[in-house]
Amino acid sequence: MPKMKTHSGAAKRFKKTATGAFKCKQAHLRHILTKKSTKRKRQLRKSSSLHASDMKSATRMLPYS
């Protein structure tokens, strides 16, 4: 049987934690930053965990993580 391939785009965006959840960077910090408050931009720096409804697809894309 051939090996399963890791989705390279997902591998760059998600990291698996020890508990089995996936860490990811928060959205809305790429452009149009002038209208966003400093507090909002600072809080978006923190990593968040992937939502439970997306866990199945992330696990499929990252079989070896």
Coordinates of all heavy atoms in Angstrom, one line a residue:
M1 N 0.8 -1.2 0.0 CA 0.0 0.0 0.0 C 0.9 1.3 0.0 O 1.9 1.3 0.7 CB -0.9 0.0 1.3 CG -2.0 -0.9 1.2 SD -3.2 -0.6 0.0 CE -3.9 1.0 0.5
P2 N 0.4 2.3 -0.7 CA 1.2 3.5 -0.7 C 1.0 4.3 0.6 O 0.0 4.0 1.3 CB 0.6 4.3 -1.9 CG -0.7 3.8 -2.1 CD -0.7 2.3 -1.7
K3 N 2.0 5.1 0.9 CA 1.9 5.9 2.2 C 0.8 7.0 2.0 O 0.5 7.5 0.9 CB 3.2 6.6 2.5 CG 4.3 5.6 2.8 CD 5.5 6.4 3.1 CE 6.7 5.5 3.4 NZ 7.9 6.2 3.6
M4 N 0.2 7.4 3.1 CA -0.7 8.5 3.1 C 0.1 9.8 3.1 O 1.1 9.9 3.8 CB -1.6 8.4 4.4 CG -2.6 7.3 4.4 SD -3.4 7.0 6.0 CE -4.2 8.5 6.2
K5 N -0.4 10.8 2.4 CA 0.3 12.0 2.4 C -0.3 13.1 3.3 O -1.5 13.1 3.5 CB 0.2 12.6 0.9 CG 1.1 11.8 0.0 CD 1.4 12.6 -1.3 CE 2.4 11.9 -2.1 NZ 2.7 12.7 -3.4
T6 N 0.5 13.9 3.9 CA 0.1 15.0 4.8 C -0.2 16.1 3.9 O 0.5 16.4 2.9 CB 1.3 15.4 5.7 OG1 1.6 14.3 6.5 CG2 0.9 16.5 6.6
H7 N -1.3 16.8 4.2 CA -1.7 18.0 3.5 C -0.8 19.1 3.9 O -0.8 19.6 5.0 CB -3.2 18.4 3.8 CG -3.8 19.4 2.9 ND1 -3.4 20.7 3.0 CD2 -4.7 19.3 2.0 CE1 -4.1 21.4 2.1 NE2 -4.9 20.6 1.5
S8 N 0.1 19.6 2.9 CA 1.1 20.5 3.3 C 0.6 21.9 3.7 O 1.2 22.5 4.6 CB 2.1 20.7 2.2 OG 1.4 21.2 1.0
G9 N -0.5 22.3 3.2 CA -1.1 23.6 3.6 C -1.6 23.5 5.0 O -1.5 24.4 5.8
A10 N -2.2 22.4 5.4 CA -2.7 22.2 6.8 C -1.5 22.0 7.8 O -1.6 22.5 8.9 CB -3.6 21.0 6.9
A11 N -0.4 21.4 7.3 CA 0.7 21.2 8.2 C 1.4 22.5 8.6 O 1.9 22.7 9.6 CB 1.7 20.3 7.5
K12 N 1.3 23.5 7.7 CA 1.8 24.9 8.0 C 0.9 25.6 8.9 O 1.4 26.5 9.6 CB 2.0 25.7 6.7 CG 3.0 25.1 5.7 CD 2.9 25.8 4.4 CE 3.8 25.0 3.4 NZ 3.6 25.6 2.0
R13 N -0.3 25.3 9.0 CA -1.3 26.1 9.7 C -1.7 25.6 11.1 O -2.0 26.3 12.0 CB -2.6 26.3 8.9 CG -2.4 27.2 7.8 CD -3.6 27.2 6.8 NE -3.6 28.2 5.8 CZ -2.9 28.1 4.7 NH1 -2.1 27.0 4.5 NH2 -2.9 29.0 3.8
F14 N -1.6 24.2 11.3 CA -2.1 23.6 12.5 C -1.0 22.8 13.1 O -0.2 22.2 12.5 CB -3.2 22.7 12.2 CG -4.4 23.3 11.4 CD1 -4.8 22.8 10.2 CD2 -5.0 24.4 11.9 CE1 -5.8 23.4 9.5 CE2 -6.0 25.0 11.2 CZ -6.4 24.5 10.0
K15 N -0.9 22.8 14.5 CA 0.0 22.0 15.3 C -0.9 21.2 16.3 O -1.8 21.8 16.9 CB 1.0 22.8 16.0 CG 1.9 23.6 15.1 CD 3.0 22.7 14.6 CE 3.9 23.4 13.6 NZ 3.6 23.3 12.2
K16 N -0.6 19.9 16.4 CA -1.3 19.1 17.4 C -0.8 19.3 18.8 O 0.4 19.2 19.0 CB -1.3 17.6 16.9 CG -2.4 16.8 17.5 CD -2.4 15.4 16.9 CE -3.7 14.8 17.0 NZ -3.8 13.5 16.4
T17 N -1.7 19.4 19.7 CA -1.2 19.5 21.1 C -1.2 18.2 21.8 O -1.6 17.2 21.2 CB -2.2 20.4 21.9 OG1 -3.5 19.8 21.9 CG2 -2.3 21.8 21.3
A18 N -0.7 18.1 23.0 CA -0.6 16.9 23.7 C -1.9 16.2 24.0 O -2.1 15.0 24.1 CB 0.2 17.1 25.0
T19 N -3.0 17.0 24.1 CA -4.3 16.5 24.4 C -5.0 16.0 23.1 O -6.1 15.5 23.2 CB -5.2 17.5 25.1 OG1 -5.2 18.7 24.3 CG2 -4.6 17.9 26.5
G20 N -4.4 16.3 22.0 CA -5.1 15.9 20.7 C -5.8 17.0 20.0 O -6.3 16.8 18.9
A21 N -5.9 18.2 20.6 CA -6.5 19.3 19.9 C -5.5 19.9 18.9 O -4.3 19.6 18.9 CB -6.9 20.3 20.9
F22 N -6.0 20.9 18.1 CA -5.1 21.5 17.1 C -5.0 23.0 17.5 O -6.0 23.7 17.7 CB -5.6 21.3 15.7 CG -5.4 20.0 15.1 CD1 -6.4 19.0 15.2 CD2 -4.2 19.6 14.6 CE1 -6.2 17.8 14.7 CE2 -4.0 18.4 14.1 CZ -5.0 17.4 14.1
K23 N -3.8 23.5 17.5 CA -3.6 25.0 17.7 C -3.6 25.6 16.3 O -3.1 25.0 15.3 CB -2.2 25.2 18.3 CG -2.1 24.9 19.8 CD -0.8 25.6 20.4 CE 0.4 25.3 19.6 NZ 1.6 25.8 20.2
C24 N -4.1 26.8 16.2 CA -4.1 27.6 15.0 C -4.0 29.1 15.3 O -4.3 29.5 16.4 CB -5.3 27.3 14.1 SG -6.8 27.6 14.9
K25 N -3.6 29.9 14.3 CA -3.5 31.3 14.5 C -4.9 31.9 14.2 O -5.6 31.4 13.4 CB -2.5 31.9 13.5 CG -2.2 33.4 13.7 CD -0.9 33.8 13.0 CE -0.8 35.3 12.9 NZ -1.0 36.0 14.1
Q26 N -5.2 33.0 14.9 CA -6.5 33.6 14.7 C -6.5 34.4 13.4 O -5.5 35.0 13.0 CB -6.8 34.5 15.9 CG -7.0 33.7 17.2 CD -7.7 34.4 18.2 OE1 -8.7 35.1 18.0 NE2 -7.2 34.3 19.5
A27 N -7.7 34.6 12.9 CA -7.9 35.4 11.6 C -8.0 36.9 12.0 O -8.0 37.3 13.1 CB -9.1 34.9 10.9
H28 N -8.1 37.7 10.9 CA -8.3 39.1 11.0 C -7.1 39.9 11.4 O -7.3 41.0 12.0 CB -9.5 39.5 11.9 CG -10.8 38.7 11.6 ND1 -11.5 38.8 10.4 CD2 -11.4 37.7 12.2 CE1 -12.5 38.0 10.4 NE2 -12.5 37.3 11.5
L29 N -5.9 39.5 11.2 CA -4.8 40.2 11.5 C -3.8 40.4 10.3 O -2.6 40.6 10.5 CB -4.0 39.6 12.7 CG -3.1 40.4 13.6 CD1 -3.8 41.6 14.2 CD2 -2.4 39.6 14.6
R30 N -4.3 40.3 9.1 CA -3.5 40.4 7.9 C -3.5 41.8 7.3 O -2.5 42.3 6.8 CB -3.9 39.4 6.9 CG -3.6 37.9 7.3 CD -2.2 37.7 7.5 NE -1.9 36.3 7.8 CZ -0.8 35.8 8.1 NH1 0.3 36.5 8.1 NH2 -0.7 34.5 8.4
H31 N -4.7 42.4 7.2 CA -4.8 43.7 6.5 C -6.0 44.5 7.1 O -6.7 43.9 7.9 CB -4.9 43.5 5.0 CG -6.1 42.8 4.6 ND1 -7.2 43.3 4.0 CD2 -6.5 41.4 4.7 CE1 -8.1 42.4 3.7 NE2 -7.7 41.3 4.2
I32 N -6.1 45.7 6.7 CA -7.1 46.7 7.2 C -7.0 46.7 8.7 O -7.9 46.5 9.5 CB -8.5 46.3 6.8 CG1 -8.6 45.9 5.3 CG2 -9.5 47.4 7.0 CD1 -9.9 45.3 4.9
L33 N -5.8 47.1 9.2 CA -5.5 47.1 10.6 C -5.7 48.4 11.2 O -5.7 48.5 12.5 CB -4.1 46.6 10.9 CG -3.7 45.2 10.4 CD1 -2.3 44.9 10.5 CD2 -4.5 44.2 11.2
T34 N -5.8 49.5 10.4 CA -5.9 50.8 11.0 C -7.2 51.1 11.7 O -7.2 51.8 12.7 CB -5.8 51.9 9.9 OG1 -6.7 51.6 8.8 CG2 -4.4 51.9 9.3
K35 N -8.3 50.5 11.3 CA -9.6 50.7 12.0 C -9.8 49.8 13.2 O -10.7 50.0 13.9 CB -10.7 50.5 11.0 CG -10.8 49.1 10.4 CD -12.1 49.0 9.6 CE -11.9 49.6 8.2 NZ -13.1 49.3 7.3
K36 N -8.9 48.8 13.3 CA -9.0 47.9 14.5 C -8.2 48.5 15.7 O -7.2 49.0 15.5 CB -8.4 46.5 14.1 CG -9.3 45.8 13.1 CD -8.6 44.6 12.5 CE -9.4 44.1 11.3 NZ -8.6 43.2 10.5
S37 N -8.8 48.3 16.8 CA -8.2 48.9 18.0 C -6.9 48.1 18.4 O -6.8 46.9 18.1 CB -9.2 48.9 19.2 OG -9.4 47.5 19.6
T38 N -6.1 48.8 19.2 CA -4.8 48.1 19.6 C -5.1 46.9 20.5 O -4.4 45.9 20.4 CB -4.0 49.1 20.4 OG1 -3.9 50.3 19.6 CG2 -2.6 48.6 20.7
K39 N -6.1 47.0 21.3 CA -6.5 45.9 22.2 C -7.0 44.7 21.4 O -6.6 43.6 21.7 CB -7.7 46.4 23.1 CG -8.1 45.3 24.1 CD -9.3 45.7 24.9 CE -9.8 44.7 25.8 NZ -11.0 45.1 26.6
R40 N -7.7 45.0 20.4 CA -8.2 43.9 19.5 C -7.1 43.2 18.8 O -7.0 41.9 18.7 CB -9.2 44.4 18.5 CG -9.9 43.4 17.6 CD -10.9 44.1 16.8 NE -11.3 43.3 15.7 CZ -12.1 43.7 14.6 NH1 -12.5 44.9 14.6 NH2 -12.4 42.9 13.7
K41 N -6.2 44.0 18.3 CA -5.0 43.4 17.5 C -4.1 42.6 18.5 O -3.6 41.5 18.1 CB -4.2 44.5 16.8 CG -5.0 45.1 15.7 CD -4.1 46.1 14.9 CE -4.1 47.4 15.6 NZ -3.4 48.5 14.8
R42 N -3.9 43.1 19.7 CA -3.1 42.4 20.7 C -3.7 41.1 21.1 O -3.0 40.1 21.2 CB -2.9 43.3 21.9 CG -2.0 42.8 23.0 CD -1.7 43.8 24.1 NE -2.9 44.1 24.8 CZ -3.5 45.3 24.8 NH1 -3.0 46.3 24.1 NH2 -4.6 45.6 25.5
Q43 N -5.0 41.0 21.3 CA -5.7 39.8 21.6 C -5.7 38.8 20.5 O -5.8 37.6 20.8 CB -7.1 40.1 22.1 CG -7.1 40.8 23.5 CD -8.5 41.2 23.9 OE1 -9.4 41.4 23.2 NE2 -8.6 41.5 25.2
L44 N -5.6 39.3 19.3 CA -5.6 38.3 18.1 C -4.3 37.6 18.0 O -4.2 36.7 17.2 CB -6.0 39.1 16.8 CG -7.5 39.4 16.7 CD1 -7.6 40.4 15.5 CD2 -8.3 38.2 16.5
R45 N -3.2 38.1 18.7 CA -1.9 37.5 18.6 C -1.9 36.1 19.2 O -1.2 35.2 18.8 CB -0.9 38.3 19.3 CG -0.4 39.5 18.5 CD 0.7 40.2 19.3 NE 0.6 41.6 19.2 CZ 1.0 42.5 20.1 NH1 1.5 42.1 21.3 NH2 0.9 43.8 19.9
K46 N -2.8 35.9 20.2 CA -2.8 34.6 20.9 C -3.3 33.5 19.9 O -4.1 33.7 19.1 CB -3.7 34.6 22.1 CG -3.2 35.5 23.2 CD -4.1 35.5 24.4 CE -5.2 36.6 24.3 NZ -6.1 36.6 25.4
S47 N -2.7 32.3 20.1 CA -3.2 31.2 19.3 C -4.5 30.7 19.9 O -4.8 30.8 21.1 CB -2.2 30.1 19.3 OG -2.0 29.6 20.6
S48 N -5.3 30.1 19.0 CA -6.6 29.6 19.5 C -6.6 28.1 19.1 O -5.8 27.6 18.3 CB -7.8 30.3 18.8 OG -7.8 30.2 17.4
S49 N -7.6 27.4 19.5 CA -7.7 26.0 19.2 C -8.8 25.8 18.1 O -9.7 26.6 18.0 CB -8.1 25.1 20.4 OG -9.3 25.6 21.0
L50 N -8.6 24.8 17.3 CA -9.6 24.5 16.2 C -10.9 24.1 16.8 O -11.0 23.4 17.8 CB -9.0 23.4 15.3 CG -9.4 23.3 13.9 CD1 -9.0 24.6 13.1 CD2 -8.8 22.1 13.3
H51 N -12.0 24.6 16.1 CA -13.3 24.3 16.5 C -13.6 22.8 16.4 O -13.0 22.1 15.5 CB -14.3 25.0 15.7 CG -15.7 25.1 16.3 ND1 -16.7 24.1 15.9 CD2 -16.3 25.8 17.2 CE1 -17.8 24.4 16.6 NE2 -17.6 25.4 17.4
A52 N -14.5 22.2 17.2 CA -14.7 20.8 17.3 C -15.3 20.3 16.0 O -15.1 19.1 15.6 CB -15.7 20.5 18.4
S53 N -16.1 21.1 15.2 CA -16.6 20.7 14.0 C -15.6 20.5 12.9 O -15.9 19.9 11.9 CB -17.7 21.7 13.5 OG -17.2 23.0 13.4
D54 N -14.4 21.1 13.0 CA -13.4 21.0 12.0 C -12.3 20.0 12.4 O -11.4 19.7 11.6 CB -12.6 22.4 11.9 CG -13.6 23.5 11.4 OD1 -14.4 23.2 10.5 OD2 -13.5 24.6 11.9
M55 N -12.5 19.3 13.5 CA -11.5 18.4 14.0 C -11.3 17.2 13.1 O -10.2 16.7 12.8 CB -11.8 17.9 15.4 CG -11.5 18.9 16.5 SD -9.8 19.1 16.7 CE -9.3 17.6 17.4
K56 N -12.4 16.7 12.5 CA -12.4 15.5 11.7 C -11.6 15.7 10.4 O -10.8 14.9 10.0 CB -13.8 15.1 11.3 CG -13.9 13.8 10.6 CD -15.4 13.4 10.2 CE -15.4 12.2 9.4 NZ -16.8 11.8 9.0
S57 N -11.8 16.9 9.8 CA -11.1 17.2 8.5 C -9.6 17.4 8.8 O -8.8 17.1 8.0 CB -11.8 18.4 7.8 OG -11.7 19.5 8.7
A58 N -9.3 18.1 9.9 CA -7.9 18.4 10.3 C -7.2 17.0 10.6 O -6.0 16.9 10.2 CB -7.8 19.3 11.4
T59 N -7.8 16.1 11.2 CA -7.2 14.8 11.6 C -6.9 14.0 10.3 O -5.9 13.3 10.2 CB -8.1 14.0 12.5 OG1 -8.5 14.9 13.6 CG2 -7.4 12.8 13.0
R60 N -7.8 14.2 9.3 CA -7.7 13.5 8.0 C -6.5 14.1 7.2 O -5.8 13.3 6.6 CB -8.9 13.6 7.2 CG -9.8 12.4 7.3 CD -11.0 12.5 6.4 NE -10.9 11.6 5.3 CZ -11.9 11.3 4.5 NH1 -13.1 12.0 4.7 NH2 -11.8 10.5 3.5
M61 N -6.4 15.4 7.3 CA -5.3 16.1 6.5 C -4.0 15.9 7.1 O -2.9 16.0 6.4 CB -5.6 17.6 6.4 CG -6.8 17.9 5.5 SD -6.9 19.6 5.1 CE -7.7 20.2 6.6
L62 N -3.9 15.6 8.5 CA -2.6 15.4 9.1 C -2.6 14.1 9.8 O -2.7 13.9 11.0 CB -2.5 16.5 10.2 CG -2.5 18.0 9.7 CD1 -2.7 19.0 10.8 CD2 -1.3 18.3 8.9
P63 N -2.4 13.0 9.0 CA -2.4 11.7 9.6 C -1.3 11.3 10.5 O -1.4 10.4 11.4 CB -2.5 10.8 8.4 CG -1.8 11.5 7.3 CD -2.1 13.0 7.6
Y64 N -0.1 12.0 10.3 CA 1.1 11.6 11.1 C 1.4 12.5 12.2 O 2.5 12.4 12.8 CB 2.3 11.4 10.2 CG 2.0 10.4 9.1 CD1 1.9 10.7 7.8 CD2 1.9 9.0 9.5 CE1 1.6 9.7 6.8 CE2 1.7 8.0 8.5 CZ 1.6 8.4 7.2 OH 1.3 7.4 6.3
S65 N 0.6 13.5 12.5 CA 0.9 14.5 13.5 C 0.3 14.1 14.9 O -0.5 13.2 15.0 CB 0.4 15.9 13.2 OG -1.0 15.8 13.1

